[in-house]
Amino acid sequence: MIIAVDGPAAAGKGTLARALARHYHFHFLDTGSLYRMVGFAVLATGGDPRDEAAALKAAQTLKPESAHNEDLRGEEVGEAASIVAANLKVREALLGFQRQFAAKRPGAVLDGRDIGTVVCPDAEAKIFVTAAPEVRARRRHQELAERGLAPSFDSVFADILARDERDRRRVHAPLIPAADAYVLETSRMTREQALAAAIAFVEQRRKK
Ligand code: CDP
């Protein structure tokens, strides 16, 4: 079984997808970390994420297994990720790994922007997690503070709005709920409530 979890920046996709994977004993992949690694690799060599050749080279030489780098979580890398993510060739270079991962048994949970629409259009359960921009900015601000980073709330808020705008407007794999996705609005929900709602939806899909 494949569970696709998509949504805008800092909507709580990662937390929810990880908890679902734990609940079902499925494999878990944070696909955003792949784009973050590409953005990070370009920045680390002094390059510009807008440089398509540099981004493509970074995507083609990526070692997806090493995706657990604390350096990836900052908003600067998030912005670089969303710039390289608009590049179709970069997206294509990362597609095979994601699809192979999704085929793992007994099942997989993938979180990102285009899992339900492009990477796994046949996923049995698709969840589009969202929350009001202010709520998402508050959550991300807190997450960054817990990691010892201290950007102002206003800059986090502005970064998130800019990234959402870029992700929604891009031509390739834009951020949009799949037609058959369950839209989970979490602004007024705790993590536990969001997880319970997601599990209820997945159970419904499993019966079909
Ligand atoms: O954690 P957060 O929601 O802030 O972002 P992320 O999931 O780590 O993704 C970082 C960026 O990668 C996004 O802004 C997207 O531009 C891009 N991305 C994508 O294009 N497709 C995916 N499946 C996942 C991420």
Side-chain angles (χ1 to χ4, degrees):
M1 182 181 202
I2 299 173
I3 304 177
V5 180
D6 290 303
K13 301 177 298 290
T15 307
L16 179 71
R18 259 192 205 91
L20 280 172
R22 212 175 300 127
H23 181 83
Y24 287 108
H25 302 286
F26 283 180
H27 302 275
F28 165 68
L29 179 64
D30 166 11
T31 66
S33 71
L34 304 175
Y35 292 93
R36 284 175 180 267
M37 285 176 79
V38 174
F40 181 77
V42 174
L43 293 177
T45 54
D48 182 343
R50 285 173 191 79
D51 176 349
E52 300 201 348
L56 181 58
K57 190 169 161 228
Q60 286 169 336
T61 53
L62 190 77
K63 304 258 179 303
E65 309 75 33
S66 59
H68 306 284
N69 188 337
E70 278 294 303
D71 298 340
L72 298 179
R73 294 307 310 170
E75 280 302 306
E76 192 198 352
V77 177
E79 198 203 339
S82 94
I83 293 169
V84 301
N87 180 333
L88 180 61
K89 287 187 182 151
V90 166
R91 305 198 69 84
E92 285 174 347
L94 302 179
L95 201 53
F97 174 78
Q98 296 176 78
R99 287 196 173 143
Q100 265 172 23
F101 191 98
K104 285 189 179 205
R105 290 178 183 275
V109 185
L110 283 79
D111 91 67
R113 300 291 184 287
D114 63 336
I115 308 304
T117 51
V118 176
V119 180
C120 305
D122 298 329
E124 286 83 357
K126 300 178 186 178
I127 303 171
F128 192 86
V129 192
T130 182
E134 296 76 13
V135 175
R136 293 189 282 116
R138 214 184 309 129
R139 290 176 185 166
R140 177 55 43 90
H141 187 245
Q142 179 152 6
E143 180 194 326
L144 292 171
E146 281 163 14
R147 289 169 195 269
L149 301 166
S152 72
F153 174 83
D154 288 349
S155 78
V156 173
F157 190 40
D159 285 347
I160 280 185
L161 290 182
R163 199 138 64 79
D164 286 353
E165 182 73 3
R166 189 181 296 120
D167 291 349
R168 286 200 183 100
R169 282 170 167 265
R170 71 185 178 209
V171 178
H172 310 295
L175 170 66
I176 183 176
D180 53 348
Y182 166 53
V183 178
L184 182 56
E185 218 292 335
T186 67
S187 296
R188 290 165 197 277
M189 285 185 182
T190 62
R191 289 174 182 197
E192 292 72 25
Q193 288 169 328
L195 177 61
I199 290 173
F201 170 71
V202 174
E203 286 305 307
Q204 206 182 310
R205 302 292 306 168
R206 261 153 62 102
K207 287 193 192 107
K208 290 202 172 154

